[in-house]
Amino acid sequence: MRKVVWIAIGVLILQLGFIASYVAAFHQPSPHEIPIAVVAEQGLPAGLDTDTVAKLNAIEGTPLSARTASSTAQARDLIRNRDVLGAYIVSPAGTDTLITASAAGSSISAALESVFTEIEQTQNRQFVVRDDIPVGIHDNRGLSGFYLAVGWVVGGYLLAAAIGLLVGAPKSRRDAAAQLGIFAGYSVLSGALGAFIVTHLLGTFAGHWFPLWLLGTAVVFATSVFTLGLRAAIGVAAVPIAIIVFVILGNPSAGGAFGPNVLPEFYAAVGRWITPGIGTEGVRSIVYFSGTGLGQPALALALYSVVGIGLLFAFSKSRVASPEIEKPEPLPVS
């Protein structure tokens, strides 16, 4: 009975952590330091772009992080290269243009529109919005990539948790290698089928099956192997830790339709280093930005994999090196 009580307490802690983490991340999203380029078209006073940048950066709460661009073409290049998330083109005609990229986060685009609506009202000017990189017609608010990444992550840590609980940690390096091979095969299959669903069955990301397959394989492998290595190192406590990392922290910090510039600073900082956020960002990079920005996700997935494999083989080896001392058989009673 005591064990049941402790299990109930542990589950309650995880449940409350889940509620607190999700509500803290999403209850009041607000823009902060959204990178944006400012262009002053010909016919305007010299230095107007610099003055505009200074005024935008001085807005209370620092919702924007503005910089100048020499032309509209350069501003668009900055958006495509993911150096900025929008551009503000000041026109001598009095009707300015706000260029956004909803594919980088629909909430960021909405936040930019809200900020510039307030700015233009105080200056008696007007602006039009041009979404240069919109989300796909079958990708409502850009959430499909988030759910795809979460599906891959859930499969990864559930497989590792199930094997750890039902089979146990590997007792030798041979067992560790065998389990690693199973995880690798599962990751390839899981990545391929997940990508197939969103590209061929649903048509959400048509034309991107192969790179999404590679991404999915890496996400599943990194998540599962890290959990497996943790299981070998610390035992069954690895399961709640995996839930805390990948679910309680990882899912809300991934953002979904929210980009990091509208999440609280803590979630924005950790989200890009936890596999749900890594996968979400990877999908965006592949589908909408021609692979731009994949370097950091690739590095993070490699780190998870290396650490997981290192823990797996290190603790499997220690079990072999430190066998239990056999107790002598009792003497026969005469």
Side-chain angles (χ1 to χ4, degrees):
M1 181 61 68
R2 182 176 297 177
K3 181 180 290 188
V4 173
V5 172
W6 280 113
I7 292 174
I9 292 173
V11 172
L12 178 62
I13 292 172
L14 291 176
Q15 176 190 5
L16 296 179
F18 183 94
I19 295 170
S21 183
Y22 275 68
V23 174
F26 298 133
H27 78 290
Q28 193 176 7
S30 57
H32 52 87
E33 297 186 350
I34 300 176
I36 187 168
V38 175
V39 177
E41 292 184 334
Q42 291 184 352
L44 292 168
L48 179 65
D49 53 350
T50 304
D51 293 341
T52 302
V53 165
K55 291 177 181 178
L56 294 177
N57 288 335
I59 297 174
E60 185 177 358
T62 61
L64 304 175
S65 177
R67 56 184 284 188
T68 60
S70 60
S71 64
T72 302
Q74 185 190 35
R76 287 193 173 119
D77 286 340
L78 291 173
I79 292 173
R80 284 192 292 268
N81 293 331
R82 312 197 73 180
D83 295 317
V84 298
L85 296 175
Y88 178 51
I89 314 301
V90 186
S91 170
T95 300
D96 305 324
T97 302
L98 175 63
I99 302 176
T100 62
S102 60
S106 57
S107 291
I108 290 179
S109 298
L112 287 175
E113 291 186 42
S114 177
V115 170
F116 279 97
T117 296
E118 294 182 13
I119 294 172
E120 298 284 64
Q121 286 176 349
T122 63
Q123 298 181 358
N124 295 320
R125 296 177 66 88
Q126 296 179 335
F127 74 97
V128 296
V129 180
R130 180 177 298 164
D131 192 350
D132 262 21
I133 310 178
V135 295
I137 190 172
H138 300 295
D139 184 17
N140 182 34
R141 300 185 66 206
L143 286 171
S144 300
F146 167 69
Y147 288 120
L148 174 60
V150 167
W152 280 329
V153 171
V154 168
Y157 77 75
L158 278 184
L159 175 66
I163 289 181
L165 292 173
L166 299 177
V167 178
K171 298 178 176 58
S172 67
R173 283 176 291 180
R174 178 176 294 179
D175 288 345
Q179 288 193 10
L180 191 63
I182 292 172
F183 277 59
Y186 174 85
S187 299
V188 171
L189 183 62
S190 175
L193 293 178
F196 182 82
I197 289 172
V198 298
T199 56
H200 289 74
L201 292 185
L202 301 179
T204 306
F205 300 135
H208 299 279
W209 176 75
F210 184 70
L212 287 177
W213 173 20
L214 297 180
L215 173 67
T217 298
V219 169
V220 176
F221 185 76
T223 304
S224 60
V225 169
F226 181 80
T227 306
L228 184 66
L230 207 61
R231 172 68 177 84
I234 63 176
V236 294
V239 176
I241 290 176
I243 293 173
I244 291 171
V245 173
F246 297 124
V247 179
I248 294 178
L249 287 179
N251 285 358
S253 64
F258 298 90
N261 296 90
V262 295
L263 291 176
E265 291 185 8
F266 169 76
Y267 290 93
V270 302
R272 60 200 299 261
W273 295 103
I274 306 179
T275 49
I278 294 168
T280 301
E281 184 64 19
V283 173
R284 283 178 180 157
S285 297
I286 289 169
V287 175
Y288 295 115
F289 294 94
S290 302
T292 300
L294 274 176
Q296 189 272 332
L299 173 62
L301 293 174
L303 289 174
Y304 274 101
S305 301
V306 169
V307 171
I309 292 172
L311 289 173
L312 177 63
F313 281 96
F315 284 90
S316 298
K317 181 179 179 181
S318 67
R319 288 191 184 88
V320 176
S322 304
E324 294 184 2
I325 299 175
E326 294 185 1
K327 296 180 181 180
E329 295 182 4
L331 295 174
V333 179
S334 58

